[in-house]
Amino acid sequence: MQYQPTNEQDGHQPLVSFIITYYELPASMLRECIDSILALKLNAEEREIILVDDGSALTPLPSLGDVANQLTYIRQQNQGLSGARNTGLKMARGKYIQFVDADDSLVAGHYDHSLDIARFHQPDVVMFSFSSEQVKTLAYHDEETTSGAEHMRKHNIRGSACGYLFRQNILGSLRFTPGIVHEDEEFTPLLLLRAETLITTDAKAYFYRQRQQSITTAKGPRIQLKRLNDMKDIIGRLHQHASTLPHNERLALQRRVAQLTMDYIYKVVVDTRSKSYLKHRLGELSRKGLFPLPDQDYTTKYKWFRRMTSTDAGLNVLLRLLPLMNRER
């Protein structure tokens, strides 16, 4: 099922296509999300709002009232977040793409600053900050233009695909892998490697709503096992891809792989608290050349974690402390 606004101008390319993915959420959250986009300093010809309903029991359209004619609505059988985003990418006509989860919103002023960067500097990627609280100040600091690979070599990155605005023409054939959790962790580094120009700003342009019912916070043995297995597979694919890249891009992706591997080991410890199971998972990583963690000076946390995981005594300490540290977060 597809609904498109009747006043769309054929042949005109919007500045930004906003792809909203929606599944079984209160209509009030979705309306807040859409209103936040409409509040930006973009006229109707500069924006395209694509709402992908990934098989909700009831369509949210009747609850959207006066804003329904300002978006393209696509209703499909449930395919998961990856499938919903891929559907949005098929429809998008904008020069830039912005993913937005339906329970989140964009922050006026801060996101307008990110749009100005896109308008006046035209980088491949504008990377901004997140906030889970109301943002009051309108002061920003922007970094010098660099490439995506160079940025990844020097910084840890946030994996979320909602954390940046990117040119559609750098996407090529890249899409989200269907049916997995942590799909952003695979998509984002591969996209950034394609960016010849990237500008980072500390503008808190994206409001992230923390929900207990979200897939990233869902608990239970089955979902925990799927999260671990999907993350392990993503790390393996990125590791293999890194070996095919030129020197600079390879170093950039290797840093991301090491960071994800550290995060993966952390999750194994916190989710299972089992030394025998941890040893089993570390053995799998070792056979793929992913463990021990590379001896690199990435961050203080990374160096500390690498030393702790390199000895049996260190692993015992992690098994005792990390669950407690996790509960205190």
Side-chain angles (χ1 to χ4, degrees):
M1 175 181 179
Q2 182 175 327
Y3 168 84
Q4 289 184 291
T6 57
N7 60 349
E8 183 176 307
Q9 296 184 9
D10 292 338
H12 176 79
Q13 184 180 29
L15 177 64
V16 185
S17 291
F18 298 93
I19 299 175
I20 304 174
T21 49
Y22 172 84
Y23 178 72
E24 300 292 9
L25 288 171
S28 59
M29 286 186 183
L30 174 60
R31 179 59 188 260
E32 183 179 341
C33 175
I34 296 172
D35 285 346
S36 76
I37 297 173
L38 296 176
L40 300 172
K41 292 179 180 178
L42 289 166
N43 60 45
E45 289 73 33
E46 291 179 302
R47 68 172 179 256
E48 175 184 48
I49 304 175
I50 301 171
L51 173 60
V52 183
D53 179 353
D54 192 40
S56 297
L58 298 174
T59 173
L61 274 182
S63 302
L64 298 182
D66 57 323
V67 302
N69 66 346
Q70 300 192 58
L71 52 87
T72 297
Y73 174 72
I74 303 166
R75 183 172 169 84
Q76 65 182 28
Q77 291 185 338
N78 182 261
Q79 298 178 32
L81 182 57
S82 292
R85 286 176 172 167
N86 288 341
T87 296
L89 288 173
K90 289 179 184 177
M91 299 295 300
R93 300 181 301 111
K95 182 177 180 179
Y96 285 89
I97 302 290
Q98 175 66 58
F99 293 111
V100 191
D101 291 342
D103 52 344
D104 298 333
S105 59
L106 301 178
V107 182
H110 286 255
Y111 196 86
D112 287 323
H113 178 70
S114 300
L115 289 172
D116 284 342
I117 294 175
R119 285 189 181 102
F120 298 117
H121 299 281
Q122 302 185 36
D124 290 334
V125 174
V126 181
M127 186 170 287
F128 45 76
S129 296
F130 282 64
S131 177
S132 58
E133 301 176 350
Q134 294 297 323
V135 181
K136 297 180 180 179
T137 61
L138 292 178
Y140 321 109
H141 172 73
D142 306 332
E143 300 291 341
E144 294 292 327
T145 302
T146 186
S147 69
E150 194 62 26
H151 180 81
M152 287 173 59
R153 281 189 63 179
K154 297 178 179 178
H155 302 90
N156 291 344
I157 61 170
R158 180 189 290 268
S160 173
C162 296
Y164 47 84
L165 181 67
F166 68 94
R167 275 183 178 270
Q168 182 169 189
N169 64 9
I170 71 169
L171 190 64
S173 61
L174 179 64
R175 295 296 184 271
F176 293 90
T177 301
I180 65 171
V181 186
H182 301 299
E183 62 283 321
D184 293 17
E185 298 290 9
E186 183 171 24
F187 180 88
T188 292
L190 295 179
L191 181 74
L192 294 185
L193 288 176
R194 296 165 179 250
E196 295 182 4
T197 54
L198 177 148
I199 297 178
T200 301
T201 176
D202 62 2
K204 297 183 183 301
Y206 193 96
F207 176 76
Y208 174 73
R209 192 190 305 270
Q210 296 178 318
R211 295 189 304 114
Q212 292 184 346
Q213 296 86 0
S214 70
I215 192 166
T216 56
T217 58
K219 296 182 179 180
R222 183 175 297 179
I223 185 61
Q224 287 178 338
L225 181 60
K226 178 169 177 54
R227 280 200 297 254
L228 290 175
N229 286 338
D230 286 351
M231 193 170 186
K232 178 188 68 174
D233 291 344
I234 288 169
I235 292 168
R237 288 195 294 270
L238 292 177
H239 177 62
Q240 185 175 17
H241 184 69
S243 67
T244 69
L245 296 174
H247 180 72
N248 193 47
E249 288 87 348
R250 182 170 68 253
L251 293 179
L253 191 52
Q254 284 174 340
R255 173 174 179 145
R256 187 57 185 162
V257 167
Q259 184 68 36
L260 288 175
T261 305
M262 182 183 77
D263 292 344
Y264 169 77
I265 296 170
Y266 177 95
K267 290 180 186 298
V268 172
V269 172
V270 171
D271 285 354
T272 70
R273 308 183 194 183
S274 166
K275 186 173 183 180
S276 61
Y277 192 74
L278 174 60
K279 287 282 193 178
H280 167 70
R281 290 282 180 164
L282 293 179
E284 291 179 331
L285 293 175
S286 179
R287 287 189 289 274
K288 293 182 178 182
L290 292 162
F291 186 81
L293 293 170
D295 185 8
Q296 297 290 339
D297 189 19
Y298 291 142
T299 65
T300 300
K301 179 181 177 181
Y302 176 85
K303 291 187 292 182
W304 172 83
F305 197 87
R306 181 186 178 278
R307 286 196 297 268
M308 295 296 288
T309 55
S310 64
T311 66
D312 201 59
L315 292 176
N316 289 333
V317 172
L318 291 177
L319 286 163
R320 288 200 306 271
L321 294 183
L322 286 188
L324 296 175
M325 294 166 62
N326 187 57
R327 286 198 290 267
E328 293 169 358
R329 284 184 168 188

